[in-house]
Amino acid sequence: MKFVFTKHATFDKFAILKKHKFKTPVTKRLIKEIILNPEHADEESDKPNIIASKSIDVNHILRVVYRKEFDIIRVITFYPAEKGRYYETKTN
């Protein structure tokens, strides 16, 4: 499977999160991991886009908006959110 990051997903996104001192470093590798192994996936609210989410620290999840196009996964954007805002996270 091939991953393609749109301009919107790469233009300053990584730098913005770093600038705001987001605790977990967000990398393309992390984005791919969230898509392949999400804690939660929403395939309904933004069709044909899929929103994959996963906990990345005590207070946050990272949401990744992407679209499947045959054997290509096109990453549209990603953003952090507070846990519990979009779905209930599992507690260990």
Side-chain angles (χ1 to χ4, degrees):
M1 195 157 306
K2 181 179 178 182
F3 286 80
V4 175
F5 286 74
T6 64
K7 276 186 181 181
H8 184 74
T10 55
F11 183 74
D12 287 338
K13 281 286 194 176
F14 295 102
I16 288 169
L17 291 176
K18 188 175 182 178
K19 177 183 171 189
H20 288 285
K21 297 181 178 153
F22 196 66
K23 294 175 186 171
T24 303
V26 178
T27 62
K28 286 185 177 183
R29 178 184 232 172
L30 177 62
I31 303 272
K32 291 176 186 178
E33 170 65 27
I34 291 169
I35 290 170
L36 296 174
N37 297 302
E39 184 176 87
H40 181 264
D42 177 355
E43 297 183 18
E44 297 299 318
S45 67
D46 195 22
K47 278 188 176 184
N49 298 333
I50 300 167
I51 305 171
S53 305
K54 193 168 193 173
S55 297
I56 55 169
D57 66 28
V58 175
N59 298 313
H60 297 93
I61 59 171
L62 191 66
R63 293 178 47 91
V64 180
V65 180
Y66 71 97
R67 185 179 295 176
K68 283 185 183 178
E69 299 167 340
F70 303 103
D71 65 338
I72 297 172
I73 291 180
R74 186 171 308 279
V75 179
I76 298 164
T77 193
F78 55 90
Y79 53 94
E82 288 183 25
K83 281 189 176 180
R85 179 170 180 185
Y86 294 98
Y87 65 95
E88 277 303 310
T89 56
K90 299 173 189 171
T91 55
N92 293 333

